[in-house]
Each structure stands twice: as structure tokens, then as C-alpha cells.
Amino acid sequence: MNTGKRQKQRKVLLMGKSGAGKSSMRSIVFSNYVAKDVRRLGATIDVEHSNIKFMGNLMLNLWDCGGQDGFVENYLTHQRAHVFSSVAVLIFVFDIESREFAADVISYSSIIRALQENSPSAKVFVLIHKMDLVQARLRQQLFEERAEYIRAASEGFKDTVEFWATSIWDQSLYKAWTQIIYYLIPNAGSIEALLRQLAEVIDARELILYERTTCLTVTHVTRGLEERNPFTDRFERISSILKTHKQSMAKHTNLPPNIANFAEMQIKTGRFMFFITRLTENTNLAAAIPPSEQIFNAARVNISLVRPRFAELDIGSAKASARGGI
Amino acid sequence: TGRLPNSKAGDDKPRLLLMGQPRSGKSSISSVVFHKLPPSETLYLETTTRIKKESMHSFMDFQVWDLPGHVDYFDPSFHVDHIFEEIGALIWVIDAQDEYLEAIMQLNKTILNLQHSYPSINVEVFVHKVDGLSDDYKADTFRDIIQRVTDELSDHGYENAPVSFYQTSIYDHSIFEAFSKVIQKLIPQLPTLEALLDSLCQSCRIEKAYLFDIMSKIYIAADTSPTDGGSYEIASDYIDVVIDVSEIYGWDRTLALEVEEEEIRGESGCNDAESLITMERKGNHYLYLREINKYLALICLMGDDSPAEKKAVIDYNVGVFQTALKQVFPRAEREPPGHHH
Ligand SMILES: Nc1nc2c(ncn2[C@@H]2O[C@H](COP(=O)(O)OP(=O)(O)OP(=O)(O)O)[C@@H](O)[C@H]2O)c(=O)[nH]1
Ligand SMILES: Nc1nc2c(ncn2[C@@H]2O[C@H](COP(=O)(O)OP(=O)(O)O)[C@@H](O)[C@H]2O)c(=O)[nH]1
Ligand SMILES: [Mg+2]
């Protein structure tokens, strides 16, 4: 029976010229690499697939498509239907340092046409990448110029394509990927509603739900004064902080990064208290609360009580898969 | 960061001189360590043409002078005394990715010149930019440089010169670790601090304890148990996590609303920031951080046999440690311990 909790496979294409940085970002976001490790990566041969389970019946099915001309030719001809059908999202990566920008855009156009033919309702995200190589004061303008030019070549996706400036060397990578994930999560609404209820009960200033492997934010709720928090980029910053910390722990404990998880992290100061704890199989919850031991202790108890309700939303849990598994 | 205002010369603070050939990485080092510049941004640093003085206000005040590489400081027209008096350490930076014979010659010339008037100066040689080198090549280069410097000095009749060598890179923790060791030599209270940390480790089954300068992430003391390479790294990464999260959620909420700080704070917040990480696999405490005063934080890596129930023991002993430390560094208490980072 379809309970609406059936696992939802969402196909995501990662494309762009060879050397643009696709596998680098994939390895950092999904495979526990740190930025300086990516020099070890070789060019991708044909397509590399990875599956990542997220909160709330989302299974990401990522296709990292090697960008050398021969492969691209092949995607556009023999494998055209295979590659471009039932695509939920196309992520196209441009290298800001490329000397052949015009040619890159032509190649982008032909991919866009193939996508339009086979998956007209797909969403396109364009990442203008390696922005660290541009001096800080020139970044914004160059980004906007490139984005306008690419938009003009986006055919049927002109009005919906989104642009992000990224670099593996800072949190901009997380900012872009967080948006992509949020777009893909089918039941974000119900997760958010539950999270908001929880926030009210424990009097949290902010709750952030994030996926454990990637540390990408699934969703968050913010209450009261915290809405004026001047750090509007805090969600991607926290992703990036936690990801770095995870690597550091793994290195030190000699555990593989997917196992080197903390059970709990707490930070208490005179201005706020903060803790992170496991919520479901694939997610952690970060809570920022007022600086009070009572609130802190009550919050921890309440979160452990509400865990099963979140687990129901999470396809990864044994209960959900037993029910919807046939 | 707001803690490095320029100050006038001539303050009687220990002074660290950064010297070396042009492009060896001096300005990059001082920007990364004292201004938290991301290492990749150092590519855009302009060449230094005049002496750049920074003073660093922390648990103790000291100055860092970045000396442009193209000046001959022993030219008679230069007032050498003005530069070298009161100096705490001379840090000589050698670019390990470049030809270094000329750099070694200059270094030796400097050491020999200084030997007459200032025999007690610590000379700290940073064999720098080792990030680009293979492990073998790195080790060979390091050995070769040490050999050449000591040989040449002894050829000039200077044996056992007070020269230490470090391998450094701004792209990892090595530069901070090297700076830590340099600065520790300038802290007269070091043995006391080490003894205090040793006794803390013993009473709480702590594997490794560090006393960190929060802003610079230089550690000014550690317990004296043998260290494996990774401990400094994880401790310093951990400080980053706590500082970053504290910046994000520790913003001044009185700015957003016309209320008194006191109203927001409630009554039970803790004065000294504290943090704890428990590992999933082990189920015990793993990392512990406690703000000691405005400048210093204690970071502990827990031993495997430090169970969660021991938190009270740790709190008690850290309290004892904190009190003892107040007597070692009374100045840090002049300003109330307070708003974090
Ligand atoms: N400076 C800088 N370099 C980057 C960045 N991202 C990736 N790189 C570098 O770009 C190079 C190519 O990266 P890959 O990820 O292998 O490129 P790719 O797009 O997967 O290439 P194909 O697999 O051939 O399609 C690597 O040497 C990375 O170190 C970035 O944000 N900044
Ligand atoms: N690979 C590498 N490059 C470095 C390192 N430190 C500095 N550099 C680079 O060396 C160059 C010269 O640095 P700079 O600080 O201006 O040298 P200065 O003239 O001695 O002050 C810059 O391009 C830096 O990015 C390092 O640890 N590793
Ligand atoms: Mg690739």
C-alpha cells in the first residue's frame, strides 16, 4: 500500500566541463573529503553514481557525469534518453577560470535542450565555481555578468534557473547545496511543522535539523529575537563547522568519518546554550536556547520524547520501512 | 579581531622579529596567525616595504615585527639596537620550496652579528612552505638546512648556538604549533603552568590538557606527558568550533531590542563558557573546553577510562586549577572575565 511514505528516488545530474570541480564538490559534501584532499581525484570516467538517504523519504540519486568531450557527446547522443529522463535537478558547474567561457555556454545549451526534451519539469541550478580564485572585491560583479550570460542561454529554464557562486574553500559550497537539498525534500512542510511545535515546547531560540553525513541543513525554525541574528549565513556556516569538526575527529580517533560521530555536543555560555544531539537515523538536531540550566535539561528530555515522531517521517527508520516496504 | 591595535614602538614587551628573504612567507605567517587571514588569501598580499609592527594583547603582551627582506640590518647607517634590544626571539623564515643557500648565508650572518651584542637571543628557524613537498623531500630538506646552518656556525667557532628548527606551513596547524613553542620559551611561568596541568590530568584521568590563547590559538602550556602529533590539532579545531558557534549565537541581543543585558541573561547562564563532546562509539566524554579567563581556555582530551559521571570531579578540579592560575597571571583578571570571544 502506498502510505505516502514510500521512498522517493530523486535523480540529480551533476554536469559541466572536465576539471570544473564536480567530483571535488561531490567528494566534499557527500564523501567526507576535505578541500585539500581533492587534488587526489582523477577525471571521472563516464558516470559515477551515489545514493544518499536524507530525512523524510528522500533518496538522492546523484549522477556525477564526467565532463570530457567524448563523454558529453555520448550523453547527448546514444545515452540521451537514459541520462536525461526523469531528472529532478540538473546541477551545472562552470569554472570561473575557464578560458573558453563562450564554448562552455554552448555546451551548456545543448545539455539544457536535451533536458528540456526529456525532463521539462526539472529544476536547474548553475554553480559558478572556484570563486576563491577571483579577488574578493571583483567576485560579485563577475558572478553577475556570467550569470546573466548563462541565463540567456537557458531556453525554457530561463525564468527558473538559479545561480550560486561557490568554492570548495569556504562555506559557499554548503550554501548552494543546502538550497538544492531543500528544493528536493518532498515533505519539508510536515517536518517543519513538527520542528516548530518542538521549538515552542522547549522554548528554543532556534532549531536546525541537519543530515548527519553531509551536515547539510534539512530545515530550521527560528523564534522571536533570534530572527534578528545578524549572521544570516549561519546555517551554511554551521554545516561547514560541523563537517570540518567531523573530519578532525575522524582523523584523531582513527575512526572512519562515517562512524566518528559525536553522541552529543554542548556549549554553554552566559549568552546562550547550544547542543547537538541525534534525532533520527539520518539526522541530528542542533538547538540554540536561552542560557539557563533548567531550559537546557528540559529541552534534552523533550527531544528524546519526540524522537519517535520524527522517525515516522524518516524513511530510514525500521518502522517506516516495515510498513511501506512491499 | 579587534585585539591587535597598532601600538607605538618602544613598549617594553617581548618582541618577536620575523626575518627572512623576500617572498619567504613572513607577512603571510603574521596575517594567518594574528589576523586569521585564510591561507589562500595570502596570494594577494603586497610585498612588505617597511617594518610592520603588530602588538598582541593577550595573557601577556608581545609584539611581532615583520621586517622586509631586502634591507641589510647590519648596514652601519641602521640603528640596530633599536631593533634588537628587548627582543624575545628572532624567527627566521626560509622558503623550503625555493633555493635556500642565500637564505642560510643571510641567517648565519645575522646570527654571528647578533652573537656579540645579544648572545641570549633565541633564534627560531621556520623551514616554511613544506606543504608543497613530498614527505621524503621534506625530511631531506629539513635535515640539509639544519646541517648547513650548524656547520657554518661551527666553522666560525660558534658551537651549540641557541638555534631551533621547525617545519611550517600556513595551510595546516604546523605554523601555530611552531609559534606556540616559540612563545612558550618567553613565558617565565611555564614550569608552574605545566605542573598545574600535570596535576589536573592526574586527578581527572585526562589524556592531554592544553592551555590555549583563545584568539591566536597558540597554546601557552600543556601537561608534560608525551604528545602524539594529532592532539594539538584536534584541540585547536575544537576551539574553532566553540568560537564559531559562540560568534553565531553570542551576538549582542541588546542591540536588537531596548532591553538591559541583565533581563536577557536570566539568572542561570554560566559565566565562563564551557563545552563538552561525547562520542557515540565510546559513550564517554571525549573533549572538554572551559574558558579560564578573558584570554585563555583549557582544552582537555579525555582518556578512555574517563566515564561520564566524572563530570563533577572535572568541574571541581578545573575550579582548583582556575584559582591557581589567577595567581600566576593576575593581570588577566584586571578586566572581568566576560563576554566571550
Ligand atoms: N581553486 C579551486 N580549485 C578547485 C575548486 N574545486 C575544484 N578545484 C580543483 O579543480 C580540479 C578538477 O576537479 P574535479 O572535481 O576532478 O573536476 P570534474 O569536474 O569532476 O572533472 P571531470 O570528472 O573530468 O568532469 C581539481 O584539481 C580541484 O582541486 C575550487 O573551489 N577552487
Ligand atoms: N605553499 C605555501 N605558500 C606560502 C606559504 N606561506 C606563504 N606562502 C606564499 O608565499 C608568497 C610570499 O609570501 P609573503 O608573506 O608576501 O612573503 P614575505 O615577503 O616574506 O612577507 C605568497 O604568495 C604566499 O601565498 C606556505 O606555507 N605554503
Ligand atoms: Mg569528475
Side-chain angles (χ1 to χ4, degrees), chain B residues 4-206:
Chain B
L4 291 168
N6 284 321
S7 86
K8 48 199 185 319
D11 297 348
D12 54 349
K13 300 166 186 162
R15 188 184 301 158
L16 301 176
L17 294 188
L18 274 169
M19 295 181 75
Q21 304 278 100
R23 311 293 298 156
S24 56
K26 300 178 293 296
S27 314
S28 308
I29 292 174
S30 105
S31 319
V32 169
V33 175
F34 298 107
H35 292 289
K36 299 283 159 270
L37 191 74
S40 55
E41 302 271 322
T42 60
L43 291 170
Y44 309 117
L45 285 177
E46 313 254 321
T47 310
T48 318
T49 50
R50 15 192 318 246
I51 298 184
K52 243 179 95 193
K53 303 169 186 175
E54 321 254 24
S55 66
M56 153 108 182
H57 298 288
S58 186
F59 66 98
M60 81 180 195
D61 289 345
F62 58 89
Q63 302 189 2
V64 181
W65 286 20
D66 180 356
L67 302 194
H70 59 271
V71 180
D72 179 3
Y73 295 94
F74 297 101
D75 186 298
S77 67
F78 236 82
H79 295 288
V80 184
D81 283 356
H82 173 65
I83 296 175
F84 295 102
E85 66 190 9
E86 294 166 24
I87 165 184
L90 167 66
I91 298 172
W92 190 280
V93 184
I94 295 179
D95 182 346
Q97 293 188 15
D98 199 11
E99 278 298 322
Y100 50 72
L101 294 185
E102 173 69 19
I104 290 179
M105 233 178 66
Q106 294 293 339
L107 166 61
N108 281 327
K109 194 171 136 202
T110 308
I111 296 176
L112 292 170
N113 267 313
L114 288 175
Q115 189 215 342
H116 301 298
S117 348
Y118 309 101
S120 62
I121 290 179
N122 295 330
V123 179
E124 317 278 7
V125 180
F126 286 8
V127 176
H128 189 56
K129 306 195 192 177
V130 291
D131 51 277
L133 310 178
S134 73
D135 285 349
D136 286 348
Y137 189 81
K138 187 161 115 178
D140 287 347
T141 307
F142 191 56
R143 223 174 298 123
D144 188 49
I145 290 176
I146 297 179
Q147 193 69 51
R148 283 173 191 275
V149 173
T150 34
D151 282 358
E152 203 170 315
L153 287 176
S154 59
D155 285 353
H156 286 85
Y158 193 18
E159 304 284 350
N160 301 322
V163 184
S164 314
F165 297 85
Y166 309 81
Q167 309 188 46
T168 58
S169 162
I170 51 170
Y171 285 96
D172 57 36
H173 296 79
S174 58
I175 192 65
F176 292 91
E177 218 169 342
F179 247 102
S180 302
K181 304 226 164 94
V182 168
I183 284 179
Q184 283 166 27
K185 292 190 190 166
L186 306 178
I187 302 175
Q189 304 93 330
L190 184 66
T192 317
L193 295 175
E194 287 177 343
L196 287 172
L197 288 166
D198 278 343
S199 94
L200 178 70
C201 286
Q202 240 178 12
S203 38
C204 300
R205 304 268 176 92
I206 290 166

Side-chain angles (χ1 to χ4, degrees), chain A residues 177-325:
Chain A
W177 279 90
T178 301
Q179 299 304 316
I180 296 169
I181 295 304
Y182 190 79
Y183 172 81
L184 285 166
I185 288 186
N187 54 349
S190 44
I191 298 172
E192 246 168 61
L194 200 52
L195 208 58
R196 182 158 293 281
Q197 273 179 28
L198 177 62
E200 301 287 339
V201 171
I202 66 177
D203 193 21
R205 289 172 174 173
E206 186 154 87
L207 291 179
I208 305 175
L209 183 72
Y210 70 89
E211 195 279 330
R212 280 157 52 96
T213 313
T214 57
C215 298
L216 288 172
T217 302
V218 175
T219 181
H220 63 89
V221 295
T222 306
R223 290 173 67 237
L225 210 54
E226 202 61 39
E227 281 178 27
R228 304 204 210 161
N229 187 320
F231 301 99
T232 49
D233 62 351
R234 62 190 178 279
F235 307 106
E236 57 265 22
R237 273 174 70 172
I238 287 174
S239 295
S240 161
I241 293 166
L242 293 171
K243 192 65 184 273
T244 311
H245 182 250
K246 201 177 164 71
Q247 317 277 6
S248 154
M249 301 266 268
K251 193 167 160 200
H252 185 74
T253 53
N254 281 323
L255 293 170
N258 56 336
I259 296 181
N261 291 312
F262 50 74
E264 188 178 73
M265 168 193 285
Q266 33 176 281
I267 299 175
K268 297 175 175 177
T269 77
R271 289 197 170 178
F272 69 92
M273 288 189 183
F274 177 85
F275 64 94
I276 295 179
T277 180
R278 178 98 172 230
L279 193 65
T280 67
E281 184 177 330
N282 299 313
T283 59
N284 275 357
L285 185 67
I289 57 172
S292 143
E293 287 288 345
Q294 285 100 306
I295 299 182
F296 184 84
N297 293 330
R300 288 175 67 195
V301 173
N302 277 302
I303 288 174
S304 62
L305 292 177
V306 80
R307 268 195 192 106
R309 293 186 59 199
F310 278 95
E312 277 173 35
L313 292 173
D314 191 350
I315 185 66
S317 78
K319 193 176 158 206
S321 48
R323 205 192 306 162

Side-chain angles (χ1 to χ4, degrees), chain A residues 42-214:
Chain A
T44 308
I45 306 301
D46 205 37
V47 181
E48 276 176 37
H49 298 270
S50 24
N51 289 312
I52 304 99
K53 237 188 279 169
F54 268 84
M55 174 81 199
N57 63 3
L58 167 64
M59 165 80 98
L60 207 70
N61 184 206
L62 186 65
W63 296 38
D64 177 358
C65 306
Q68 293 176 57
D69 293 345
F71 298 133
V72 177
E73 190 57 37
N74 194 26
Y75 309 143
L76 290 169
T77 53
H78 305 300
Q79 300 199 313
R80 194 174 180 95
H82 172 63
V83 171
F84 291 98
S85 60
S86 24
V87 173
V89 162
L90 164 69
I91 302 168
F92 198 96
V93 183
F94 283 91
D95 177 352
I96 190 77
E97 282 255 291
S98 165
R99 279 147 212 260
E100 303 145 351
F101 179 58
D104 298 348
V105 177
I106 291 172
S107 166
Y108 166 77
S109 280
S110 35
I111 282 164
I112 284 290
R113 273 193 297 276
L115 184 69
Q116 196 158 0
E117 253 170 58
N118 293 280
S119 305
S121 61
K123 168 94 173 168
V124 180
F125 290 90
V126 169
L127 308 187
I128 302 186
H129 190 56
K130 304 195 190 176
M131 288 306 276
D132 59 284
L133 298 174
V134 180
Q135 289 201 36
R137 64 193 166 84
L138 305 176
R139 277 176 203 158
Q140 186 58 26
Q141 194 195 344
L142 190 60
F143 170 70
E144 281 167 18
E145 279 168 22
R146 293 279 159 99
E148 271 328 291
Y149 193 95
I150 298 167
R151 186 188 293 283
S154 301
E155 314 246 332
F157 300 99
K158 247 193 194 93
D159 300 326
T160 54
V161 55
E162 281 185 34
F163 295 91
W164 298 93
T166 54
S167 162
I168 56 171
W169 293 103
D170 60 37
Q171 74 234 13
S172 58
L173 190 63
Y174 283 91
K175 180 167 188 159
W177 279 90
T178 301
Q179 299 304 316
I180 296 169
I181 295 304
Y182 190 79
Y183 172 81
L184 285 166
I185 288 186
N187 54 349
S190 44
I191 298 172
E192 246 168 61
L194 200 52
L195 208 58
R196 182 158 293 281
Q197 273 179 28
L198 177 62
E200 301 287 339
V201 171
I202 66 177
D203 193 21
R205 289 172 174 173
E206 186 154 87
L207 291 179
I208 305 175
L209 183 72
Y210 70 89
E211 195 279 330
R212 280 157 52 96
T213 313
T214 57

